[in-house]
Amino acid sequence: MADKIRYETEKKRLTEKLNKPPIEFVQAFMGDKAWRRLSRFEEMLRERYELSREMKFPFGNADGWGFRYVHNKSLLLYVFFEEGGFCCTISINDAGAPKVEAMLRDLRPEIQKIWTNRYACGADGGWINHSVENDDVLPDLVRLVGAKVKPKK
């Protein structure tokens, strides 16, 4: 695995911690195209999980506001709002890492690259961050979530 690499974003995020943005503002900030993409992604997750979503400011100003997605009490991922898009942040622990390795060859090259360059956590696991710019990558992101938390179906 590569050395710990921090995800650096050049995209603007909602980083004003004291002012929780209303959904309408988030939607306008992301743009209609990205908001629809996020809705499709949520629907794909709902097909597999008892999904709940909460707006959070979990880590700090570099990440800003986003949605925290949970299945029952298990964290699935965070989605951080970006101007014109969104970024998925998924933590995969050491138990989930072999599952990712087993499916890696079937994932898109950009997803393979972010896994290889993940920010290490534990012996084999790590954090992955991906700014979603098209629908093609959504199924791979859902599969990565499945390596973390077993789907209900």
Side-chain angles (χ1 to χ4, degrees), residues 58-119:
F59 303 123
N61 288 342
D63 295 306
W65 286 98
F67 287 139
R68 179 179 190 262
Y69 291 94
V70 175
H71 166 70
N72 296 326
K73 294 183 180 181
S74 298
L75 172 66
L76 298 175
L77 77 155
Y78 285 95
V79 167
F80 293 101
F81 313 131
E82 293 181 336
E83 189 172 35
F86 62 93
C87 175
C88 292
T89 297
I90 307 169
S91 63
I92 307 286
N93 64 17
D94 288 343
K99 297 172 188 172
V100 175
E101 292 292 335
M103 71 173 81
L104 198 59
R105 192 174 311 153
D106 298 328
L107 300 176
R108 300 179 63 77
E110 66 219 69
I111 300 299
Q112 293 175 16
K113 183 177 179 181
I114 62 170
W115 176 252
T116 300
N117 295 316
R118 66 194 174 276
Y119 181 81

Side-chain angles (χ1 to χ4, degrees), residues 4-138:
K4 291 186 177 187
I5 297 173
R6 287 274 182 204
Y7 174 76
E8 300 289 333
T9 183
E10 296 178 10
K11 296 181 180 180
K12 185 177 178 185
R13 293 195 177 183
L14 299 176
T15 59
E16 181 60 46
K17 184 175 185 173
L18 299 178
N19 296 312
K20 183 178 179 179
I23 290 293
E24 298 79 16
F25 183 84
V26 171
Q27 185 175 354
F29 180 76
M30 290 175 58
D32 288 338
K33 193 173 187 180
W35 185 258
R36 286 192 305 270
R37 182 172 294 120
L38 178 58
S39 296
R40 283 190 290 277
F41 183 53
E42 284 184 10
E43 186 56 39
M44 294 169 77
L45 290 169
R46 276 192 186 90
E47 290 172 2
R48 293 162 179 80
Y49 299 99
E50 297 297 329
L51 195 66
S52 64
R53 172 182 94 177
E54 181 181 11
M55 190 179 298
K56 300 290 261 180
F57 195 99
F59 303 123
N61 288 342
D63 295 306
W65 286 98
F67 287 139
R68 179 179 190 262
Y69 291 94
V70 175
H71 166 70
N72 296 326
K73 294 183 180 181
S74 298
L75 172 66
L76 298 175
L77 77 155
Y78 285 95
V79 167
F80 293 101
F81 313 131
E82 293 181 336
E83 189 172 35
F86 62 93
C87 175
C88 292
T89 297
I90 307 169
S91 63
I92 307 286
N93 64 17
D94 288 343
K99 297 172 188 172
V100 175
E101 292 292 335
M103 71 173 81
L104 198 59
R105 192 174 311 153
D106 298 328
L107 300 176
R108 300 179 63 77
E110 66 219 69
I111 300 299
Q112 293 175 16
K113 183 177 179 181
I114 62 170
W115 176 252
T116 300
N117 295 316
R118 66 194 174 276
Y119 181 81
C121 182
D124 298 314
W127 290 83
I128 59 167
N129 299 283
H130 185 65
S131 288
V132 179
E133 297 177 356
N134 61 60
D135 288 2
D136 296 344
V137 74
L138 297 178

